[in-house]
Amino acid sequence: MNSLLKASRCVSLAGLYSGGALILAAAFLIGTDVLMRRFAGVTIGGADELAQFALAMGTAWSLGGALFDRAHIRVDSAYSRFPLQVRAILDILGLALFIFFFIFVTWHAFGVLGQSWTNGSVSHSALQIPIFIPQGLWVLGFVSFLFIATILLLDAVGKLMRGDFRAVSRVIGTKSAEEEVEEELALARATGEEADRR
Amino acid sequence: MILTTIVILLTLLVLAVPVAAALGVLGLSLSGLYSPLPLSYAMGEIAWTTSTNFLLVAIPLFVMLGEILLRSGMASRMYTALVLWMPWLPGGLMHSNIAACTMFSATSGSSVATAATIGTVAMEQIQKNSYNERLFLGTIAAGGTLGILIPPSVNLILYGVLTQTSIPQLYLAGLVPGLVLASLFSATVLVACIMKPAWGGRRTAVSWEQRLRALPDLLPPVVIFLAVIGSIYAGWATATEAAALGVVAALLIAALHGAVSLTMLKTAFEGTMKTTAMIMAVMIGAYFLNLVFGATGLGNLASQAISGLDLSPVQLFLLIVVFYLILGMFMETLSMMVATVPIITPIMITAGFDPIWLGIFIVVMMEIALITPPVGLNIFVVQGVRKKGRIEDVFVGALPFVVMMLVFVMLLYLFPQIVLALPEAVR
């Protein structure tokens, strides 16, 4: 189980980094396009389309990373007043429903992908990208997310069986504002130290 | 049907089911209960069109812009410079807090990260210069909320996408109210400190040389603001393209400061994509739910129920204010907007309210939600930075600003031109 968790952690981090890199690349591409359009009167053509695909792929591949970091929002006004045991059960229920909804999304996303494949659809711009390429990578991102989420869920259920409620909450509980701020501060401090060194 | 919907949604939310799944599961249940055709077949198409919506590309771009500003240290340098420039008014640094928040707001959308950064730098000043602690904390919590009103704003993009309202127009509309609200905040501090001079803290003498030396630190936010907002109104760029220009500008300035490193980029990427994935998951659920609302006639049913109450526009307006005030005490703003905007805006537009004015009004109500107890994200953040004392201090400190914001909402109702003059002049 532990090696599986470690592997999913790696996959999800790689997803976040490559998603971010895609978005940054899209920013530069669009930025160049705007400036060239304004000052040289030419357009790259399809910059917006590539950015759209970057958003789709980046999102799908980052869902797992967000899950690992417990970044998916939950309304915890009532939750935070429940005892630890109840919270652990709600954590598992919440994750199970999240997985359920995304199995459903992924299933129908496969349908859309199949249609693009059989119709041989290409993108609207001059680039004429076969739609199944970005769409395939997008669906694959969902699939990888489902794997990661299931591994996390199994891990949490195992912890619940052992009666280790605290561990469940550590893996899939909501993040308290305190923790969130702690992280933000650690980053702010790191930024400050780096600036001081210069 | 309306009752069933509310019961299912509330149950899912009270059980702390992730918002994205709560919206999706609600959609599936309603479609199963009330729709003659299975609506789930549309899910794949909805997920793809949402994931590739060009307007939504602006969200990761603005989140990344904010991340770059924070992680490169530009943000904290800006605060330090503003501290040198603002301390002559009664209330001293509390005005710097508000000004710094306003300036941040003009470049980024993340109020949580902003309040944490400004808070960290500002907090030591309370004891050092003997300010009234509660009011000082209030300025940071309330000032931070301006982030979603002054463009660029992730919440305004969300509103624009959900209601198909022009985002450049919404940005223009947010500018004047943002500045007016910031001035009202400053006025609150001013009045409080004139009445109780002891609250205003000690002034530190600052030489003009120090001030001038700090001036360049104020430049980066100005340049980025001009790149983002200027390019939209010069007609060079759409909202999303402007966000891309902002990211490029921020990264180039950070590189000039020698603040770009692999570690910094990785941190920024991680933060950006986690937020993006979270928002996009909610959007996919919300779009599906919207389709179900439309197909089952629930949207119409809700508006009929409200028009059946036979409210005058004033009554409707007050009802919505109270509704958001109460909901905002318990809910987080993005989920609140996604859940309510598709239902409330059509009703209010039918009653004669302007869609652009509505966007600004709703965003101001979201700002209030950020600082009202028991759940107020900005309050939690400020208390977290402070790490001592009771959280009630921050709530009490923010209270005068909540009152001011409610007054401001009434002003918006009485003088809609505060919102509409600028977008109408440009249209």
Side-chain angles (χ1 to χ4, degrees):
Chain A
M1 198 71 204
N2 267 333
S3 56
L4 267 179
L5 271 176
K6 230 177 253 165
S8 358
R9 179 80 199 139
C10 283
V11 172
S12 71
L13 262 181
L16 290 175
Y17 293 150
S18 40
L22 272 178
I23 296 294
L24 186 63
F28 272 93
L29 193 64
I30 298 175
T32 318
D33 190 38
V34 172
L35 295 178
M36 276 176 54
R37 202 166 59 206
R38 177 67 186 81
F39 294 108
V42 289
T43 161
I44 299 177
D48 50 348
E49 204 169 74
L50 291 174
Q52 288 167 306
F53 295 154
L55 177 66
M57 294 186 288
T59 302
W61 283 93
S62 299
L63 286 167
L67 188 68
F68 254 106
D69 234 68
R70 296 170 292 158
H72 291 288
I73 6 169
R74 301 164 64 185
V75 180
D76 61 359
S77 339
Y79 166 95
S80 57
R81 282 167 182 73
F82 292 143
L84 192 61
Q85 288 86 333
V86 180
R87 286 211 304 254
I89 291 167
L90 289 181
D91 290 337
I92 287 175
L93 173 79
L95 182 55
L97 280 176
F98 203 76
I99 294 174
F100 164 75
F101 179 58
F102 271 94
I103 287 179
F104 166 76
V105 172
T106 310
W107 175 256
H108 288 284
F110 261 114
V112 174
L113 174 64
Q115 230 161 31
S116 308
W117 173 260
T118 43
N119 298 346
S121 328
V122 292
S123 67
H124 299 301
S125 78
L127 297 175
Q128 302 255 313
I129 300 168
I131 293 284
F132 78 86
I133 296 174
Q135 232 165 33
L137 286 168
W138 174 67
V139 174
L140 216 57
F142 281 149
V143 173
S144 84
F145 163 70
L146 287 177
F147 268 109
I148 292 172
T150 312
I151 290 168
L152 265 176
L153 181 67
L154 291 178
D155 181 51
V157 170
K159 290 190 159 94
L160 184 76
M161 297 302 218
R162 285 200 304 275
D164 195 349
F165 300 107
R166 213 168 288 281
V168 175
S169 140
R170 241 192 337 267
V171 199
I172 59 168
T174 64
K175 225 184 222 180
S176 64
E178 205 175 310
E179 274 176 76
E180 218 162 296
V181 169
E182 227 7 86
E183 269 172 32
E184 208 51 68
L185 285 181
L187 280 170
R189 273 195 296 273
T191 317
E193 277 160 22
E194 214 170 301
D196 287 344
R197 254 183 278 129
R198 274 195 301 275
Chain B
M1 189 163 157
I2 293 179
L3 196 67
T4 322
T5 309
I6 294 174
V7 170
I8 298 178
L9 183 63
L10 282 184
T11 314
L12 289 169
L13 291 181
V14 166
L15 294 180
V17 172
V19 173
L23 298 176
V25 170
L26 174 63
L28 283 174
S29 334
L30 291 177
S31 139
L33 286 172
Y34 301 112
S35 168
L37 297 165
L39 297 169
S40 50
Y41 288 107
M43 188 68 239
E45 200 53 51
I46 288 180
W48 177 246
T49 44
T50 309
S51 298
T52 55
N53 186 329
F54 190 60
L55 284 171
L56 292 178
V57 176
I59 290 179
L61 290 175
F62 279 128
V63 177
M64 188 176 275
L65 174 54
E67 287 279 331
I68 292 174
L69 283 179
L70 276 173
R71 310 301 172 217
S72 63
M74 271 189 259
S76 55
R77 274 200 299 276
M78 188 195 81
Y79 178 78
T80 318
L82 279 173
V83 164
L84 296 176
W85 276 89
M86 297 290 291
W88 41 274
L89 287 164
L93 289 180
M94 291 192 266
H95 297 287
S96 311
N97 292 343
I98 293 167
C101 288
T102 311
M103 222 165 169
F104 267 127
S105 307
T107 51
S108 103
S110 166
S111 57
V112 176
T114 307
T117 315
I118 295 200
T120 326
V121 204
M123 214 57 80
E124 60 187 57
Q125 306 285 348
I126 303 178
Q127 306 283 299
K128 211 162 78 187
N129 294 309
S130 57
Y131 280 97
N132 175 283
E133 193 167 11
R134 288 178 168 178
L135 194 64
F136 194 94
L137 297 169
T139 57
I140 301 171
T145 68
L146 289 169
I148 57 175
L149 178 60
I150 297 177
S153 152
V154 171
N155 289 56
L156 280 177
I157 295 177
L158 207 65
Y159 176 86
V161 172
L162 287 172
T163 61
Q164 296 179 348
T165 311
S166 150
I167 292 168
Q169 290 270 319
L170 283 169
Y171 276 7
L172 262 194
L175 204 55
V176 176
L179 295 177
V180 172
L181 189 55
S183 321
L184 287 177
F185 286 166
S186 259
T188 314
V189 172
L190 205 63
V191 170
C193 291
I194 288 173
M195 279 171 11
K196 301 253 180 182
W199 287 4
R202 251 196 327 272
R203 312 297 151 69
T204 26
V206 181
S207 72
W208 277 98
E209 199 207 332
Q210 277 176 298
R211 283 187 185 158
L212 292 176
R213 244 203 335 253
L215 214 50
D217 287 339
L218 291 178
L219 217 55
V222 175
V223 171
I224 292 165
F225 179 74
L226 286 179
V228 174
I229 303 303
S231 63
I232 294 182
Y233 299 110
W236 297 7
T238 63
T240 306
E241 291 172 341
L245 285 176
V247 171
V248 174
L251 199 67
L252 289 182
I253 297 174
L256 281 180
H257 280 102
V260 179
S261 63
L262 195 60
T263 331
M264 175 264 186
L265 278 180
K266 274 163 85 176
T267 323
F269 285 175
E270 230 187 295
T272 305
M273 292 319 288
K274 274 188 282 197
T275 310
T276 304
M278 179 272 284
I279 296 179
M280 291 303 290
V282 173
M283 291 306 282
I284 291 174
Y287 267 96
F288 176 62
L289 186 59
N290 271 354
L291 172 93
V292 175
F293 276 172
T296 55
L298 192 90
N300 285 337
L301 218 60
S303 38
Q304 273 161 18
I306 293 195
S307 47
L309 294 176
D310 212 20
L311 298 173
S312 68
V314 193
Q315 288 169 324
L316 180 64
F317 167 75
L318 292 175
L319 179 75
I320 302 288
V321 169
V322 173
F323 170 77
Y324 274 129
L325 199 59
I326 295 174
L327 206 61
M329 290 177 181
F330 304 98
M331 268 181 92
E332 185 280 334
T333 60
L334 280 179
S335 25
M336 193 163 34
M337 280 187 68
V338 176
T340 61
V341 163
I343 299 179
I344 285 184
T345 38
I347 297 174
M348 294 199 61
I349 290 172
T350 317
F353 290 93
D354 183 279
I356 290 180
W357 180 89
L358 263 178
I360 303 303
F361 159 66
I362 291 178
V363 165
V364 176
M365 293 311 298
M366 295 304 115
E367 289 189 70
I368 296 179
L370 282 169
I371 52 172
T372 41
V375 180
L377 207 52
N378 266 27
I379 300 284
F380 294 160
V381 169
V382 171
Q383 173 63 19
V385 176
R386 182 173 166 231
K387 282 216 207 81
K388 60 183 170 63
R390 294 156 55 86
I391 193 161
E392 280 77 8
D393 293 334
V394 193
F395 278 122
V396 172
L399 209 58
F401 300 101
V402 173
V403 174
M404 204 34 122
M405 285 155 114
L406 285 173
V407 170
F408 181 63
V409 166
M410 299 303 150
L411 284 177
L412 288 184
Y413 179 78
L414 293 174
F415 308 102
Q417 287 309 311
I418 301 175
V419 176
L420 295 174
L422 198 56
E424 271 166 13
V426 173
R427 201 181 302 192

